[in-house]
Amino acid sequence: MKNPHRLVASKPIKLSRCSTNGKDFHSEREVAEAEFFTLREELIEWQQRLYAEGERSLLIVLQAMDAGGKDGTIRHVLRGVNPQGVRVSSFKAPSTLELSHDFLWRIHREVPTRGMIRFFNRSHYEDVLIVRVKNLVPKDVWSKRYDRINEFERLLTDSGTTILKFFLHISHEEQHERFRARLTQPEKLWKFSPDDVEESKHWDEYQAAFEDALNKCHTEHAPWFVIPSDQKWYRNLAVCRTIVETLREMNPRYPKAVWNPDDYPLENGK
């Protein structure tokens, strides 16, 4: 099945023309949630096979505007998955040590080992997003990073890592609604930061930065998917469906035993 959210290399994307409304793709929430729960059960099985096989890995990159739903996506999609075979890496502002290395140094240390699924909550793309919008480095520095990112992702795929990159696309109005919820609901207040409101003022600049990252770094081996995310239930379905479809194509298998079970009979529970 063709994925409606996967970018097409020959068609540059314009985010303002991309729907943030999941109802444009699925009108029935209850049906969508039922499919999501079924897919998540399948994901649990595929993750176990990938871990047992121990030959390949899966890297899932999540990028979004503030309040875009990265944490919620990870929490819902991974519920019930064996934590032994999954890791989540979050990338905040780099430390002094990290800044003393090239921008990919801290990223490369977190890529998945064989048999593992790794989620990046933000990623190496921050170095062509916030770095660009806030003028943390000159343009002649960050503009060269698109090529370095493509080369880095090519290296990973050549080494047995499958890459999926999701941009969780929300509207400016939905972002403000989620900010308001964080301010008015005590259990969500901890999520709020005044910095989020300040960053929101640069919405158009961030959208332009995301567009360039999507267009310059979408490849067949490391594709981008733009997920309509105003409705969390559709976001969860679209992400989980893409992951499961990818694992089906990877088709990890349980390894064959190198010994004959009949040679080890157990009697009387011994």
Side-chain angles (χ1 to χ4, degrees), residues 54-234:
E55 295 180 0
R56 295 169 289 171
S57 59
L58 178 61
L59 172 61
I60 299 165
V61 173
L62 297 180
Q63 291 285 164
M65 298 291 288
D66 291 324
K70 299 181 296 297
D71 291 339
T73 300
I74 292 170
R75 184 171 62 253
H76 284 87
V77 171
L78 290 185
R79 186 172 297 170
V81 176
N82 186 348
Q84 187 175 19
V86 179
R87 298 289 184 274
V88 178
S89 298
S90 296
F91 295 95
K92 307 294 185 181
S95 66
T96 301
L97 174 62
E98 291 167 342
L99 286 171
S100 69
H101 291 79
D102 67 89
F103 79 100
L104 289 170
W105 181 77
R106 66 175 183 156
I107 309 297
H108 209 155
R109 296 188 304 162
E110 299 295 323
V111 300
T113 55
R114 293 175 182 173
M116 298 295 293
I117 297 175
R118 175 81 71 160
F119 276 75
F120 278 3
N121 185 341
R122 300 186 189 272
S123 67
H124 41 298
Y125 283 94
E126 292 300 304
D127 285 282
V128 291
L129 294 170
I130 189 171
V131 165
R132 166 178 167 170
V133 173
K134 302 189 78 170
N135 296 312
L136 299 180
V137 299
K139 181 178 180 179
D140 65 344
V141 173
W142 60 255
S143 62
K144 297 175 182 177
R145 290 177 174 174
Y146 301 110
D147 289 338
R148 302 294 84 78
I149 288 172
N150 288 334
E151 292 163 358
F152 172 64
E153 292 175 351
R154 177 81 266 181
L155 171 64
L156 295 184
T157 56
D158 286 348
S159 302
T161 297
T162 297
I163 302 174
L164 297 174
K165 301 178 296 190
F166 297 100
F167 175 61
L168 308 181
H169 190 28
I170 62 171
S171 64
H172 207 179
E173 294 75 18
E174 178 65 18
Q175 184 191 55
H176 287 168
E177 285 299 316
R178 294 183 186 183
F179 285 163
R180 275 190 282 271
R182 292 178 179 184
L183 283 169
T184 58
Q185 299 178 29
E187 70 276 12
K188 293 184 177 182
L189 187 58
W190 65 274
K191 293 183 177 182
F192 182 79
S193 169
D195 291 339
D196 293 341
V197 177
E198 186 60 33
E199 289 298 294
S200 183
K201 296 177 182 178
H202 301 281
W203 178 272
D204 291 340
E205 297 166 72
Y206 274 107
Q207 293 291 292
F210 271 113
E211 280 182 8
D212 277 350
L214 294 169
N215 287 318
K216 294 177 184 292
C217 297
H218 170 70
T219 59
E220 284 301 311
H221 58 273
W224 272 109
F225 299 81
V226 176
I227 306 297
S229 298
D230 281 356
Q231 289 76 27
K232 298 174 183 179
W233 53 267
Y234 182 76

Side-chain angles (χ1 to χ4, degrees), residues 39-54 56 58 77-78 80-87 115-119 243-244 247-248 252 254:
L39 286 169
R40 192 169 63 185
E41 288 301 311
E42 185 177 348
L43 173 60
I44 292 170
E45 171 64 20
W46 284 120
Q47 179 273 320
Q48 183 171 317
R49 291 185 180 215
L50 183 71
Y51 185 76
E53 182 188 70
R56 295 169 289 171
L58 178 61
V77 171
L78 290 185
V81 176
N82 186 348
Q84 187 175 19
V86 179
R87 298 289 184 274
M116 298 295 293
I117 297 175
R118 175 81 71 160
F119 276 75
I243 294 171
V244 169
L247 284 165
R248 287 172 184 165
Y254 291 114

